[in-house]
Amino acid sequence: MPEAEDVRRVALSLPDTTEKIAWSMPTFRVAGKMFATLPEDETSIAVRCPKEERDELVLAEPGKFWIADHEAGFAWVRVRLAALEDDDELRDILADSWRQAAPPRLIDAYPDLGLPSAD
């Protein structure tokens, strides 16, 4: 099960990512734009997710994903760290969120980052 330090390590490994404290919690930003937060209890993360996709995620895996009341109007979803299988799943989730916040120059430089792998 990934923990807070794993979130930090994986998030900061993504291109042009920085960590900044905001609202008394670590936030992770790509080119200055936030793509993940690590709330105070450090048992979950909040990541960018298009509203239509997040609703599907919550319905499909309610033990893993949920929508915080104060984030309901925004394109964010919460992820329970204890429900993640491993660091690979954490990296996939963070990379997908990174991709949604990254500027075109970074998406062009890392075209496969955050995209589902072809199996």
Side-chain angles (χ1 to χ4, degrees):
M1 166 186 88
E3 297 178 349
E5 281 308 311
D6 299 312
V7 172
R8 181 171 280 108
R9 177 180 46 77
V10 171
L12 291 174
S13 75
L14 299 170
D16 203 20
T17 294
T18 58
E19 181 177 346
K20 179 180 179 181
I21 300 296
W23 308 288
S24 301
M25 71 180 115
T27 65
F28 300 93
R29 299 160 188 258
V30 56
K33 194 169 182 182
M34 190 166 41
F35 70 91
T37 67
L38 184 61
E40 303 82 27
D41 66 2
E42 297 186 344
T43 62
S44 67
I45 56 174
V47 293
R48 289 177 173 267
C49 185
K51 288 182 184 179
E52 57 279 355
E53 288 179 31
R54 78 172 184 184
D55 294 341
E56 290 175 20
L57 286 173
V58 171
L59 286 172
E61 296 184 80
K64 187 180 290 186
F65 300 101
W66 90 98
I67 302 167
D69 291 340
H70 68 280
E71 294 167 345
F74 303 97
W76 287 80
V77 68
R78 294 283 179 108
V79 184
R80 290 177 179 87
L81 294 177
L84 297 179
E85 291 180 26
D86 54 27
D87 280 3
D88 289 339
E89 186 175 19
L90 173 63
R91 182 172 176 76
D92 288 347
I93 290 168
L94 286 171
D96 181 62
S97 185
W98 177 93
R99 186 173 183 78
Q100 292 174 58
R105 68 176 172 79
L106 285 174
I107 292 173
D108 291 346
Y110 301 92
D112 297 329
L113 187 60
L115 293 178
S117 58
D119 293 334

